[in-house]
Amino acid sequence: MSDPQHENLHPETLAIRGGLTLSEHGEHSQGLYLTSSFTYASAAEAAKLFLGEIDGYTYSRFTNPTVSAFQQRLALMEGGERAIATATGMAAIQAIMMTLLQAGDHVVSSQSLFGSTINLFAGQLAKFGVTTTFVDARDLDAWRAALRPETKLLFLETPSNPLTEVADIEAIAAIAHAHGALLAVDNSFCSPALQQPLKLGADLVMHSATKFLDGHGRVMGGAVVGSDKLIEQIYLHVRTAGPSLSPFNAWTLLSGLETLHLRMEKHSANALELARWLEAQPNVERVYYPGLASHPQHALAMRQQRSGGAVVSFVVKGGREAAWKVVDGVRVISRTANLGDVKSTITHPASTTHARVTAEARERAGIVEGLLRVSVGLENVSDLQRDLALGLD
Ligand SMILES: *Cc1c(COP(=O)(O)O)cnc(C)c1O
């Protein structure tokens, strides 16, 4: 529910001021409502609340003031009418699927996706008779060719993980709409501070709030943002099926949103500086970062994103052995597959996030043995350079 009083405010202001649900006590910071249920003034009021004839809180699986504040603020930041929060990013994707699709329907999705998203489409959803075709996100003809009469939804992630392939949101939204289908975009990597897919024509945006929205590696969360009409349908699924966000996590995420713009700006500046430095290292074969002029889709990335984002991938000469030497050499950067944290993290995709994929499929997708992915945090960049140099030299 967008608040008309916020219409003329800038995104940085909305991230701090937007959506608060304040009580009569005059608290300055969003209150944390740890309560599973809410009481009614009368039997008649309870009846109206349950029928949805009046707005109000009934039960925290449905609605909660702290969760509402997070939803309203994120909707304002994404430029959507309304948002629904979920327990995790995967729960957000599942809520979209369970709401919009039924047996016999077809999905077209970009192929470079978060691993669990691939498993959800190709494994779990297939069990219910929903099939998915995976395409190269950069190839518009492939998106068009994959459409079938029963295609209801197009889904993409941009930039992709770990190779930072950029999908043209505006063009793919047009392809979806010409076919009468919807486009949903996973905006976890950019966050609304860097990219607003709804403004480029997407129908739904989803988040793993666990990543940059929290930004400090503390809590799990997810959300879907879109039109009031679509989100109402997804809300009805979430309140029934129950993958609701906890009030404590919503409260934590609200404080994450307050510094999101500041963090994304610094993440991007640090990442660009690190990417340029990596390009100059003799033992580095190739660097993937949308903010670099050498990125094949640099122009598109700079058109739809405000900056390159936090994730830099690079290929070291010497394959797995050389890559592992870099991973084992770091003393500041964390060895973990998570990302979107103020702390920089490093991972070797071929032996971790993409280990279950066959070697041939990995090579075809560009996940070579020498590839490393860094989610660049907010530390001083020269400390990160020195850290990576320990294993590179
Ligand atoms: C982490 C992640 C997800 C899944 O989110 P969870 O909060 O871990 O459930 C989905 N998409 C992307 C791009 C992610 O990075």
Side-chain angles (χ1 to χ4, degrees):
M1 282 154 270
S2 81
D3 182 341
Q5 137 199 0
H6 291 311
E7 257 161 30
N8 296 318
L9 296 176
H10 292 87
E12 296 86 348
T13 311
L14 294 172
I16 292 166
R17 300 274 175 184
L20 295 173
T21 52
L22 300 176
S23 78
E24 73 278 18
H25 301 307
E27 68 274 16
H28 192 208
S29 149
Q30 172 64 48
L32 170 51
Y33 290 85
L34 284 179
T35 178
S36 45
S37 76
F38 300 83
T39 58
Y40 324 112
S42 65
E45 188 193 276
K48 285 187 185 144
L49 275 167
F50 273 80
L51 284 174
E53 287 173 2
I54 53 172
D55 278 338
Y57 300 102
T58 52
Y59 189 53
S60 285
R61 170 153 44 78
F62 300 3
T63 47
N64 172 284
T66 315
V67 176
S68 295
F70 169 67
Q71 291 173 163
Q72 290 181 32
R73 183 175 292 178
L74 186 64
L76 289 164
M77 292 170 72
E78 284 286 5
E81 288 175 1
R82 187 171 162 189
I84 174 74
T86 54
T88 63
M90 291 318 300
I93 301 178
Q94 175 179 304
I96 294 174
M97 300 297 153
M98 297 294 277
T99 304
L100 299 181
L101 303 170
Q102 60 184 36
D105 285 347
H106 176 246
V107 177
V108 183
S109 171
S110 57
Q111 64 195 9
S112 301
L113 286 177
F114 186 68
S116 298
T117 310
I118 296 182
N119 294 342
L120 184 65
F121 287 166
Q124 309 287 319
L125 267 183
K127 275 200 320 200
F128 296 97
V130 174
T131 51
T132 304
T133 304
F134 296 99
V135 297
D136 183 330
R138 299 162 296 182
D139 182 351
L140 296 179
D141 288 332
W143 285 96
R144 284 189 205 98
L147 295 172
R148 298 183 197 162
E150 60 274 23
T151 305
K152 295 282 160 54
L153 183 73
L154 277 60
F155 186 95
L156 65 85
E157 229 177 88
T158 182
S160 73
N161 175 22
L163 296 178
T164 71
E165 294 163 0
V166 179
D168 186 335
I169 298 172
E170 204 165 2
I172 297 165
I175 292 170
H177 298 156
H179 193 71
L182 299 175
L183 172 65
V185 174
D186 183 335
N187 202 27
S188 305
F189 265 49
C190 277
S191 90
L194 301 188
Q195 171 172 279
Q196 293 172 299
L198 298 175
K199 295 197 173 157
L200 297 168
D203 301 283
L204 292 169
V205 167
M206 63 74 42
H207 279 281
S208 169
T210 316
K211 310 292 164 52
F212 294 100
L213 301 191
D214 173 32
H216 299 75
R218 299 171 295 195
V219 297
M220 309 286 303
V224 189
V225 191
S227 67
D228 195 26
K229 185 162 164 260
L230 283 173
I231 300 301
E232 174 66 14
Q233 292 173 38
I234 298 172
Y235 160 69
L236 291 175
H237 168 79
V238 170
R239 67 174 257 175
T240 305
S244 315
L245 183 66
S246 90
F248 179 79
N249 287 13
W251 183 78
T252 309
L253 290 168
L254 277 161
S255 79
L257 291 182
E258 289 171 357
T259 56
L260 181 69
H261 288 85
L262 207 56
R263 284 187 286 108
M264 294 314 289
E265 209 174 298
K266 183 65 175 164
H267 276 300
S268 297
N270 273 1
L272 181 60
E273 195 176 337
L274 191 72
R276 286 189 176 137
W277 176 83
L278 283 166
E279 267 194 327
Q281 300 309 301
N283 291 331
V284 172
E285 206 170 283
R286 175 160 185 195
V287 181
Y288 297 91
Y289 184 65
L292 285 176
S294 61
H295 190 284
Q297 296 165 289
H298 178 62
L300 169 62
M302 293 303 99
R303 202 162 67 232
Q304 73 181 17
Q305 300 175 203
R306 267 170 73 179
S307 60
V311 177
V312 178
S313 293
F314 59 102
V315 179
V316 298
K317 291 179 184 159
R320 175 175 291 211
E321 199 188 333
W324 279 21
K325 226 177 97 205
V326 176
V327 173
D328 291 340
V330 296
R331 293 181 195 162
V332 175
I333 301 174
S334 313
R335 278 181 290 272
T336 170
N338 197 24
L339 57 88
D341 199 307
V342 293
K343 300 185 182 83
S344 296
T345 63
I346 188 164
T347 187
H348 177 247
S351 59
T352 60
T353 52
H354 291 69
R356 286 159 193 265
V357 182
T358 63
E360 304 82 75
R362 262 204 313 269
E363 289 283 329
R364 220 182 315 119
I367 316 289
V368 296
E369 289 291 339
L371 183 74
L372 292 171
R373 185 199 74 195
V374 176
S375 173
V376 183
L378 305 185
E379 303 95 336
N380 186 295
V381 193
S382 55
D383 290 336
L384 303 179
Q385 290 167 351
R386 208 173 43 209
D387 214 33
L388 292 172
L390 292 172
L392 272 176
D393 293 342

